Amino acid sequence: MNAHRNDRQQEGPLTAAPIIELQEVNFQYPGAEVMALSHIHLTVQPGEFIAIAGTNGSGKSTLCKCLNGLIPNYYVGDLSGYIQVAGLIAENESVSSLSRKVAYVFQDFENQLVRPTVYDEACFAPLNYGFADYRERAARALAMLGLEPLKEQWIWQLSGGQKHLTALAGALSLDPDIIIVDEPVAQLDPYHARLIYDKLKMLNEQYGKTIIVIEHHTEFIADYCSKVVLMDSGTIRWVKPVQEALSAVEELEALHILPPQVTLAVRETEANRQQSPLYPITIPQAVDYYRAKLPRNPDHTIFDKAQTEDNSPSIPVAAAAVPLVHFDNVSYGYKTITRTLHPVLRGIDLSIHEGDRIALVGNNGAGKSTLLKLISGIRRPNEGSLSVCGHLTKHTSPETLSDYVSYIYQNPEEMFIEDTVRKDVEYFLKARSTEDYRPFVDEVLERLRLTPLQDRDGRLLSGGQQRRATLAIGLAMQPTVMLLDEPTASLDASSRREMTAMLNQLQGRVKATIIATHDMQLVAEWANRVIVMHNGQVALDTDQQSLFGHTAVLELAGLIAPQIAQLSLALDLRPPSLSVDHFAARIHSLMGQHYTREEAASIGTGSH
């Protein structure tokens, strides 16, 4: 890297350089056959709000780890090229010195929380750097993020959103010039996801911080970022202003990146498409666009009636049917450090029947994961009774319940205990001494497109591949009830589509599926029943079409409807559309391209 460094030093003082500059940067992990980064050139000006987009494995995280010294000082490999960050030449610096300039909040942010309380965590970095004013730095960081009321809280008592902000405060206490956040919304409910982005926007606009986010969700990019860096196979394909970047719909879709739903809607309903149009990319822009296009006070009653009758799923619960899972006044809590009981679930009465495809939604800390663990037998109720496939869980071991229930963890790495995917899929069957299980394992692997990966270690697969592998592990258990915790978290658009398709394939394989999720688009596309949880209780039990009409419950539970549903409601199209295809059909109808009731209902089954 010396040649590049010397060239830059001859041009003038480093203080005149952009805050980030990369020239001809290449990086290859040990043993890898291809370059993780290839011929990277990137310039970032102070105060920019940048999104780095791309599919899983495109090099986004690798690029950002070069900026704070984790590559090559921690993640070793062959690195070449010129990297300048906040006036420092990266090859001359350590992770410690670069971290004073570059704050990094990881995707698995809970793993970077190392102190017992919020205040201790905020003090940790400046204290270890030897700053005499470490207390003042911690207090200032907490104040900037509105965390003063939580300063004495134990870390393990915080919600996911509060933990994410605490991790950000710990990095912010060093007063860095640059803040990098990897997948800000991956593990958060929609409300806290917006809160994190609002805080980043405030740090950018009021304190002049340069913000870089690694993001799959283009609706957040549209609302908050000013520029997009698009990565593909370890290269930077282009850098564009956000409006131009997200209007490149065909190119993004070809790279399996899902543009905002409102942008797709305009693309589908645009009568006279220009060669390179700039589409609306936010809900307000789309509302203005359609209000200028649609006739005044349109009469769309018949169309909405068709949708309600033909396209709104109902909850398939037979009154006389024996439930697969039944909660009878179930409560659960755990003892805190002060020996008092902290309630997690309160008085749950709930029945789950054959045919249910349940989306379990609510804000972080609402009790969703705990409810799944109770069904699986990992946890047992403190009060009330819970029966699963005819067995009372308080008298039944988790091993026995696993004959009926598969529980797929939120973190897929926790599902891998063997050194190959095939061994992990076979594990349960071998433990149960199942005869001639190999043909069945072959079928499961083939069904989930894992046959080429069956001899690889599951922990070394990409995020999407790991999700497929964990689903195979669950399917191989031949369960009656399948439980999945955040199955689409951290997946790119292509992997999310794959996961939705695989969930649809569970029909006929399992009798009921329950997913705890923050992915409201998954809720709209897959579920036939939605259970909203808040503060350890069931706040609403409905179908996905009716869900988005309960605005008070959505607000209470920190939920935000998918963009296309919000756009429908803003245009007074009720009930709201749950897919881009259905929305486009309604718009065409209102603009004079009429459909029969049957055509409208069939068009409404699209899944953009």
Side-chain angles (χ1 to χ4, degrees):
M1 298 202 296
N2 291 333
H4 288 286
R5 180 193 63 189
N6 292 337
D7 289 344
R8 295 300 307 173
Q9 288 178 333
Q10 291 172 6
E11 293 177 12
L14 286 173
T15 54
I19 197 165
I20 294 172
E21 187 171 9
L22 286 73
Q23 297 289 341
E24 196 59 27
V25 172
N26 301 279
F27 179 72
Q28 188 170 14
Y29 289 103
E33 296 180 358
V34 297
M35 302 288 290
L37 298 176
S38 179
H39 305 292
I40 297 295
H41 293 260
L42 179 66
T43 299
V44 177
Q45 299 300 326
E48 287 193 302
F49 199 135
I50 303 289
I52 301 181
T55 54
N56 294 113
S58 61
K60 304 183 299 297
S61 296
T62 299
L63 173 63
C64 288
K65 288 182 174 68
C66 291
L67 302 181
N68 72 342
L70 285 175
I71 290 177
N73 295 305
Y74 183 78
Y75 299 96
V76 297
D78 296 326
L79 177 67
S80 63
Y82 169 79
I83 303 173
Q84 179 270 125
V85 181
L88 302 176
I89 303 300
E91 70 170 322
N92 298 334
E93 305 295 330
S94 64
V95 175
S96 175
S97 60
L98 285 171
S99 294
R100 290 181 59 176
K101 300 289 187 178
V102 184
Y104 203 122
V105 181
F106 292 91
Q107 182 178 324
D108 52 348
F109 51 85
E110 293 192 38
N111 289 337
Q112 68 186 99
L113 300 175
V114 296
R115 301 296 297 158
T117 70
V118 172
Y119 180 66
D120 288 336
E121 183 64 36
C123 288
F124 183 76
L127 175 63
N128 279 273
Y129 273 94
F131 290 115
D133 61 343
Y134 69 92
R135 295 182 182 274
E136 291 78 9
R137 286 173 172 265
R140 184 166 59 250
L142 294 177
M144 291 167 71
L145 299 177
L147 290 175
E148 303 104 312
L150 300 176
K151 63 182 296 186
E152 302 302 331
Q153 288 285 315
W154 302 101
I155 293 293
W156 52 269
Q157 290 180 310
L158 302 179
S159 70
Q162 291 167 339
K163 289 178 181 177
H164 203 295
L165 285 174
T166 300
L168 180 57
L172 196 59
S173 62
L174 293 175
D175 193 24
D177 299 310
I178 302 161
I179 300 172
I180 300 173
V181 187
D182 195 344
E183 293 283 357
V185 310
Q187 300 185 46
L188 301 181
D189 62 68
Y191 169 78
H192 284 101
R194 288 280 166 191
L195 179 62
I196 290 292
Y197 264 101
D198 286 341
K199 295 298 184 183
L200 293 176
K201 180 180 179 182
M202 176 271 297
L203 293 172
N204 175 249
E205 294 180 351
Q206 296 184 23
Y207 295 92
K209 304 297 184 183
T210 301
I211 308 293
I212 298 175
V213 294
I214 300 171
E215 188 57 85
H216 289 304
H217 297 80
T218 52
E219 65 271 23
F220 287 97
I221 295 175
D223 287 340
Y224 292 93
C225 300
S226 58
K227 191 177 290 185
V228 179
V229 177
L230 180 63
M231 296 199 67
D232 178 25
S233 302
T235 65
I236 291 180
R237 192 179 181 103
W238 45 246
V239 181
K240 295 181 179 180
V242 65
Q243 191 93 29
E244 181 182 350
L246 298 184
S247 293
V249 175
E250 284 76 13
E251 185 174 7
L252 293 175
E253 288 186 320
L255 293 175
H256 305 295
I257 299 169
L258 191 64
Q261 283 189 315
V262 296
T263 308
L264 291 172
V266 174
R267 192 270 304 267
E268 293 301 316
T269 56
E270 178 64 68
N272 298 309
R273 299 180 188 175
Q274 304 170 25
Q275 187 66 27
S276 300
L278 290 181
Y279 293 122
I281 62 173
T282 66
I283 292 174
Q285 289 177 3
V287 169
D288 291 342
Y289 171 87
Y290 282 114
R291 282 180 177 166
K293 296 279 187 180
L294 292 176
R296 294 181 180 273
N297 301 318
D299 178 9
H300 48 268
T301 305
I302 293 178
F303 193 96
D304 282 355
K305 184 177 180 182
Q307 179 193 14
T308 303
E309 292 180 355
D310 298 333
N311 197 44
S312 178
S314 59
I315 302 173
V317 177
V322 176
L324 296 173
V325 179
H326 180 66
F327 289 79
D328 184 7
N329 196 32
V330 169
S331 295
Y332 174 80
Y334 59 85
K335 288 187 177 180
T336 68
I337 198 169
T338 60
R339 310 293 296 174
T340 59
L341 187 69
H342 176 75
V344 179
L345 296 176
R346 316 159 188 258
I348 300 293
D349 291 305
L350 188 64
S351 292
I352 297 166
H353 293 76
E354 184 173 347
D356 277 344
R357 299 197 309 273
I358 296 175
L360 197 62
V361 300
N363 45 18
N364 291 100
K368 303 185 298 297
S369 295
T370 299
L371 189 142
L372 296 184
K373 290 176 181 177
L374 286 172
I375 296 173
S376 71
I378 297 174
R379 300 280 185 269
R380 295 184 178 181
N382 298 130
E383 298 177 4
S385 65
L386 168 59
S387 66
V388 177
C389 298
H391 297 267
L392 286 174
T393 61
K394 65 174 63 176
H395 303 310
T396 309
S397 69
E399 290 78 16
T400 299
L401 287 174
S402 66
D403 286 330
Y404 307 94
V405 179
S406 290
Y407 178 37
I408 310 301
Y409 288 80
Q410 178 174 346
N411 297 317
E413 296 88 349
E414 298 178 23
M415 298 287 293
F416 303 119
I417 55 178
E418 297 282 3
D419 58 3
T420 72
V421 169
R422 185 180 184 93
K423 289 180 182 178
D424 280 316
V425 175
E426 292 175 338
Y427 184 86
F428 179 84
L429 299 171
K430 292 175 67 175
R432 291 293 194 272
S433 299
T434 304
E435 295 184 3
D436 197 23
Y437 59 82
R438 290 178 179 83
F440 174 68
V441 171
D442 290 339
E443 179 189 349
V444 171
L445 292 171
E446 186 65 28
R447 184 185 181 95
L448 296 178
R449 296 184 294 105
L450 290 167
T451 303
L453 304 173
Q454 62 180 324
D455 295 322
R456 293 184 57 185
D457 190 324
R459 286 156 293 207
L460 302 179
L461 300 178
S462 70
Q465 292 168 339
Q466 285 185 339
R467 296 287 179 188
R468 292 211 309 271
T470 58
L471 194 56
I473 293 169
L475 273 178
M477 296 170 69
Q478 298 177 281
T480 302
V481 179
M482 178 79 85
L483 312 174
L484 300 99
D485 200 347
E486 293 291 348
T488 60
S490 306
L491 298 185
D492 57 33
S494 176
S495 299
R496 287 167 68 192
R497 287 196 188 103
E498 285 184 3
M499 179 57 68
T500 303
M502 286 186 289
L503 292 175
N504 288 330
Q505 291 178 12
L506 293 178
Q507 293 298 105
R509 289 281 183 173
V510 300
K511 292 184 177 180
T513 307
I514 309 168
I515 293 178
T517 185
H518 294 136
D519 187 343
M520 300 308 289
Q521 198 165 329
L522 176 66
V523 173
E525 295 173 2
W526 172 83
N528 64 7
R529 183 177 174 191
V530 184
I531 296 173
V532 181
M533 298 197 66
H534 176 66
N535 200 25
Q537 296 178 307
V538 174
L540 182 65
D541 188 347
T542 185
D543 60 77
Q544 98 277 40
Q545 182 68 67
S546 304
L547 170 67
F548 301 114
H550 293 273
T551 54
V553 175
L554 292 176
E555 184 175 349
L556 178 71
L559 302 175
I560 299 174
Q563 269 198 335
I564 206 66
Q566 294 183 63
L567 178 58
S568 300
L569 294 172
L571 296 174
D572 201 28
L573 299 177
R574 300 173 187 276
S577 293
L578 301 184
S579 74
V580 171
D581 289 345
H582 187 267
F583 176 86
R586 297 173 84 174
I587 293 299
H588 284 307
S589 178
L590 294 174
M591 297 176 70
Q593 302 176 32
H594 297 291
Y595 291 82
T596 66
R597 292 161 63 89
E598 292 75 15
E599 289 171 336
S602 65
I603 290 172
T605 61
S607 59
H608 272 299

